[in-house]
Amino acid sequence: MSTSYATERHSSTAAAHRDAEVVIDAHGRIIGWSSEAQDLFGYPAPQILGRTVASVIVSPGREDAASVDATAARAMCGAPIAIRCQDGTTQECRVQVRPAAGAYGQWTVLLTSAASDDVDSALLEALFSESPVGLCVYGNDLRLLRYNPAAEGLERILGKGSLGLQPHELWPDSNARAFEATMRSVIESDVPVTGFDKRGHLPDDPHEHVFANSAFCLHDHAGHVIGLANTSVEITRQRRAEERLALIADASALIGTSLDVMATGQQLADIAVPRLADAAAVDVLAPVIAGDEPNPCNPDLRRIGLQHSGAPAAAANDPNVDYRRYPYPTCATRSLTDPQPHRFQTRLQSGANQRDNETTEGQPAHVLVVPLCARELVLGLVTFYRLDSRNPFEDCEVTIATELASRAALAIDNSRRYTREHNAARALQRELLPQRSPRQSAVETAHHVVSATSGTDWFDIIPISGARVALVVGATGSAGLSGAATMGRLRAAIHTLAELDVSPAELLARLNALVSRMTAEHGGLDGDAAEGTGATCLYAVYDPVSGHLALASAGHPPPIAVYVDGSVHPVAIPPGMPLGTGESPDDTVELAVPPDCTLAFYTPGMLTESRADESLHSFIDLVSATRNTSVEESRQRIVDALLPTEPAQGAVLLLARTRRLDEDQVATWDLPSDPAIVATARSLVQRQLATWGLEDEAFITELVASELVTNAIRYGKTPIRLRLIRDQALICEVYDGSTTAPHLRYARSGDEGGRGLYLVAQFTQRWGTRYTGQGKTIWTEQDLNTSP
């Protein structure tokens, strides 16, 4: 066994106990004198070497000794003798004599101050009688050899019959096995161990006690380990205080990290078990889960958290107890009206026995019920259980439980408020979004909207003049009520601008200016910084007569186009900058779209943010596979494949399959700029309506056409074109090469003119003007009672 550690240790005690070594020959002359002997007796080596031992011994019967033989040397061993020092004083010493190594007839005499021995004896006696620190001595076999009264008083497990027992036999209800393993490592390595916690339940004491222990080896004169000493000091209060602080710190870090009521309740149960209780159940009033105000007078409790640890020793040793089958009922609903915690004892019946209607005595349990109170509201209860009847909840533990409940209650109330706002925002968003697709013949549509905790996305399908349809998708970048409000403002602005029938690029430019003004006025539509809302928008217009698609983007991804021949690719348009940045989108992109082409409009929430490129390819593949299915079935397939059950980000998918109006649904005539042509225009309209079987609409349509053609000839420029479209409504359009805006006048009774547009407005359901780069079109719509 290595003793290097022992030989390297130094202390004042070691210095005081060094032996003075003297070597004598067979005639009793001193032939060796150590430095320790010089320090102890004062003689330098040259002065003492050669003298006889008898010359310095003053003990009775030894003054005349001329020599020291083997018998005399052995006789001196153990008995104290007096040595005359150089200064004339005497020094009481104890003697040890042994043959000198390698020299026959010579002896090595070890002299130890008797005063040091007295100190050692007094110290040893004090340690085992007066010391307030517990001290136990164990042999190499870890059996108890000796202990002091302090150890007996601290652990209250030592007494008659303790000697000869090992730690696990002395204190079975503790971590003695781990302590024994530590003790063995100390004996094997000869390295002391400090700060080892020994904990367990003392006899007839329900509370756990903790002792700080140190262990070090005991050595003989040769440096061999002959046993182990163990010091012990009770630190139960200190450890409990540290554990409580650690529990509160961990609770602060864990509880409230989620804005979900259910998750917060489970966090409270997880942090309390097993550090505070064997089991914990968290119950809240039902309205809390829905985000509503709780009503303690209606105790409809719902469980949001449950945790339990392994069975304690008392329950584990009972074969009739199945710890995991206890239902942990809510034991004190009166705490809903009384904010004070309550402690009591009860018996938990096994869940299996309850189902089988068997009568059992039940497992005794200590119960602590703490109300969940926040902002003067009682949200529910947290119930702590201990199945060890010897371990009730102490006052300090009630304080800790109340602190945990208070933190959790505040987090649950924050979650409740968030849920209420989120539900209100989702309800507002649902109200603001289109409830059903408007009547139009240009495209067949299907959509899917996801309201989530981040982002507020929207879409629109807006019928506009000429049987066309505007398709809109956008994202605000903000969530909650502010996001829904932002979406409502943007949608209202888009509907207003769509009525002006401007190009997509011009519409987004005006919308961008509007958002910039609102951002400057309010510091962001949703209260964000003044750099804007981060909203994006894509605006597209499809014409089922010409088959053209015109679109522009403000920071939004382009739609995916799937053609009937199987080819698929994103529409090539410049992405532009988000709204509110001050930069207007590029010009409108126009392209011809064949019938039965599927256009997939989407917001970024449809794609996985961490794998955007891979997700986009998957999205394109899914859209490509839908060309032979209905848009509704295609929508469902894409949503099922891409969107998780609980998406964290809002998303919109809008599928639009293009249609074309039949040639016999459109009639177009180019007219000369001649007032006489007005009569011809009326005749053309009459014949076309007869062909369509719309004779009942002939009078009004002839009147409208004649007024519009007359205005075009009188105030406009060539070319002049008259067009009738039979769709959901009867549409009459007159185009001319002038960009002069028409003006609705209210003629006086004596005026001969000025009533044209007034009559048009009175006899039709809708009318308006749209402009192109070469002129304008005045259009009207008349509702039809029959389908086209």
Side-chain angles (χ1 to χ4, degrees):
M1 180 180 298
S2 172
T3 59
S4 60
Y5 183 85
T7 58
E8 293 177 358
R9 288 176 291 187
H10 301 280
S11 69
S12 60
T13 302
H17 288 71
R18 287 182 296 180
D19 294 331
E21 186 175 293
V22 180
V23 181
I24 61 177
D25 61 13
H27 303 289
R29 288 191 298 268
I30 299 173
I31 60 175
W33 189 260
S34 67
S35 59
E36 290 80 7
Q38 179 176 333
D39 294 339
L40 184 61
F41 304 116
Y43 297 104
Q47 184 178 351
I48 197 68
L49 291 176
R51 295 176 59 179
T52 63
V53 174
S55 64
V56 294
I57 296 177
V58 296
S59 296
R62 299 293 178 181
E63 297 87 341
D64 299 331
S67 64
V68 178
D69 56 14
T71 303
R74 286 193 295 269
M76 290 191 298
C77 289
I81 63 173
I83 303 295
R84 183 183 297 109
C85 299
Q86 185 186 31
D87 58 4
T89 61
T90 59
Q91 177 72 48
E92 290 286 335
C93 295
R94 294 188 181 276
V95 180
Q96 286 184 334
V97 180
R98 63 172 179 260
Y104 179 78
Q106 295 181 357
W107 301 87
T108 298
V109 180
L110 300 177
L111 301 172
T112 305
S113 173
S116 299
D117 285 350
D118 293 340
V119 172
D120 288 348
S121 299
L123 176 61
L124 186 61
E125 183 63 26
L127 285 175
F128 280 95
S129 61
E130 305 296 335
S131 174
V133 177
L135 178 63
C136 294
V137 176
Y138 295 88
N140 286 337
D141 57 358
L142 301 186
R143 296 191 178 277
L144 183 64
L145 301 178
R146 189 175 180 184
Y147 59 89
N148 67 350
E152 181 180 6
L154 282 176
E155 301 186 3
R156 300 202 296 276
I157 57 174
L158 303 177
K160 294 180 179 179
S162 296
L163 297 179
L165 300 180
Q166 292 183 328
H168 74 273
E169 298 170 323
L170 294 169
W171 194 5
D173 194 5
S174 70
N175 60 338
R177 291 290 187 181
F179 183 54
E180 289 179 1
T182 301
M183 296 170 71
R184 289 191 182 94
S185 68
V186 171
I187 293 175
E188 293 171 359
S189 65
D190 196 10
V191 177
V193 170
T194 61
F196 180 86
D197 281 3
K198 191 175 180 183
R199 57 178 65 217
H201 291 276
L202 300 176
D204 301 324
D205 192 335
H207 305 111
E208 184 183 61
H209 288 255
V210 183
F211 299 88
N213 287 260
S214 298
F216 54 92
C217 290
L218 301 176
H219 305 82
D220 60 12
H221 288 286
H224 299 109
V225 176
I226 59 174
L228 177 143
N230 164 228
T231 61
S232 179
V233 178
E234 183 166 9
I235 56 169
T236 303
R237 292 186 178 181
Q238 176 184 341
R239 282 290 182 266
R240 286 184 182 177
E242 293 172 354
E243 291 170 356
R244 291 164 193 156
L245 289 175
L247 179 58
I248 293 298
D250 292 344
S252 300
L254 176 64
I255 297 176
T257 55
S258 171
L259 286 174
D260 181 78
V261 172
M262 305 292 290
T264 303
Q266 189 59 46
Q267 288 170 349
L268 173 57
D270 291 341
I271 199 69
V273 177
R275 299 164 72 175
L276 183 63
D278 296 325
V282 184
D283 303 280
V284 297
L285 294 165
V288 173
I289 300 177
D292 299 328
E293 292 283 339
N295 181 12
C297 296
N298 182 18
D300 183 10
L301 291 169
R302 306 294 173 87
R303 182 146 295 177
I304 63 171
L306 176 63
Q307 186 58 271
H308 55 81
S309 62
N317 296 330
D318 187 347
N320 298 320
V321 175
D322 185 356
Y323 184 89
R324 296 167 297 178
R325 298 168 73 177
Y326 293 123
Y328 303 110
T330 301
C331 300
T333 55
R334 69 186 179 95
S335 294
L336 293 173
T337 55
D338 182 0
Q340 298 302 317
H342 298 282
R343 286 175 286 183
F344 54 92
Q345 284 186 275
T346 187
R347 288 187 177 272
L348 297 178
Q349 301 295 330
S350 169
N353 290 334
Q354 286 183 341
R355 289 191 296 268
D356 298 338
N357 295 321
E358 296 179 7
T359 301
T360 60
E361 185 180 356
Q363 171 65 30
H366 290 279
V367 179
L368 170 62
V369 181
V370 184
L372 294 169
C373 301
R375 299 183 179 96
E376 299 182 354
L377 290 176
V378 178
L379 307 175
L381 305 169
V382 54
T383 309
F384 303 96
Y385 301 86
R386 282 184 179 171
L387 297 190
D388 190 345
S389 60
R390 304 172 302 168
N391 193 14
F393 291 96
E394 300 180 25
D395 292 342
C396 59
E397 292 171 327
V398 174
T399 302
I400 296 296
T402 303
E403 177 66 20
L404 293 180
S406 177
R407 292 173 183 265
L410 186 59
I412 290 173
D413 193 52
N414 289 337
S415 301
R416 178 188 67 84
R417 289 167 173 256
Y418 169 78
T419 301
R420 180 179 61 186
E421 179 178 342
H422 185 60
N423 291 342
R426 295 182 65 175
L428 178 60
Q429 184 178 0
R430 285 194 299 268
E431 290 298 321
L432 292 175
L433 286 173
Q435 302 301 309
R436 56 181 179 271
S437 299
R439 292 182 58 198
Q440 49 82 33
S441 301
V443 291
E444 178 187 1
T445 63
H447 65 270
H448 184 82
V449 180
V450 174
S451 299
T453 56
S454 63
T456 303
D457 300 352
W458 86 93
F459 78 98
D460 251 322
I461 303 171
I462 308 173
I464 55 179
S465 65
R468 298 171 303 152
V469 64
L471 302 171
V472 190
V473 288
T476 66
S478 57
L481 292 174
S482 61
T486 300
M487 179 195 71
R489 294 179 184 180
L490 295 179
R491 286 193 65 241
I494 291 173
H495 275 262
T496 301
L497 294 172
E499 289 292 329
L500 299 178
D501 221 333
V502 295
S503 68
E506 182 179 351
L507 182 143
L508 292 181
R510 295 190 182 190
L511 187 64
N512 179 61
L514 175 64
V515 172
S516 297
R517 286 197 301 272
M518 289 190 294
T519 300
E521 291 173 359
H522 303 289
L525 292 180
D526 55 359
D528 293 337
E531 59 265 18
T533 65
T536 63
C537 184
L538 176 71
Y539 185 83
V541 175
Y542 174 68
D543 187 346
V545 177
S546 64
H548 284 126
L549 178 70
L551 67 167
S553 173
H556 204 85
I560 309 299
V562 182
Y563 298 95
V564 292
D565 61 359
S567 60
V568 54
H569 56 77
V571 177
I573 59 172
M577 297 296 293
L579 298 173
T581 60
E583 296 186 23
S584 299
D586 296 328
D587 292 337
T588 299
V589 174
E590 295 190 13
L591 65 153
V593 178
D596 296 324
C597 173
T598 302
L599 299 171
F601 300 85
Y602 64 96
T603 60
M606 288 296 301
L607 308 180
T608 303
E609 185 176 354
S610 60
R611 298 178 286 107
D613 294 338
E614 179 182 345
S615 186
L616 178 60
H617 290 307
S618 300
F619 179 67
I620 293 176
D621 292 341
L622 287 169
V623 174
S624 175
T626 62
R627 66 180 184 274
N628 296 323
T629 60
S630 67
V631 291
E632 186 61 36
E633 184 178 353
S634 301
R635 175 199 67 82
Q636 192 61 49
R637 287 184 181 180
I638 296 173
V639 169
D640 292 343
L642 290 183
L643 291 182
T645 305
E646 295 291 340
Q649 184 176 357
V652 163
L653 173 67
L654 173 61
L655 298 181
R657 184 160 294 167
T658 59
R659 295 173 177 171
R660 293 287 292 272
L661 295 183
D662 296 336
E663 293 183 358
D664 62 357
Q665 290 182 256
V666 183
T668 305
W669 301 279
D670 291 326
L671 304 176
S673 181
D674 184 358
I677 201 66
V678 176
T680 303
R682 287 197 296 268
S683 297
L684 293 173
V685 170
Q686 184 181 25
R687 288 198 297 271
Q688 186 61 50
L689 293 182
T691 302
W692 287 339
L694 299 176
E695 291 85 351
D696 292 342
E697 310 295 334
F699 174 76
I700 294 177
T701 308
E702 289 179 36
L703 174 62
V704 169
S706 64
E707 291 294 337
L708 296 182
V709 170
T710 299
N711 284 343
I713 294 172
R714 181 176 298 176
Y715 305 109
K717 298 178 181 179
T718 58
I720 299 174
R721 185 177 302 113
L722 170 64
R723 184 169 72 167
L724 295 180
I725 301 174
R726 178 174 61 89
D727 188 36
Q728 304 284 351
L730 179 60
I731 302 169
C732 179
E733 299 179 342
V734 175
Y735 168 83
D736 71 84
S738 171
T739 57
T740 303
H743 180 61
L744 179 62
R745 293 173 52 197
Y746 294 91
R748 293 171 295 182
S749 58
D751 292 345
E752 294 183 358
R755 296 179 176 86
L757 285 181
Y758 178 78
L759 292 175
V760 169
Q762 293 299 313
F763 284 110
T764 60
Q765 279 69 49
R766 288 167 296 280
W767 75 281
T769 305
R770 65 176 181 268
Y771 295 89
T772 64
Q774 297 77 31
K776 67 176 181 297
T777 297
I778 302 176
W779 57 269
T780 65
E781 288 187 5
Q782 299 166 243
D783 291 341
L784 297 176
N785 295 326
T786 58
S787 301

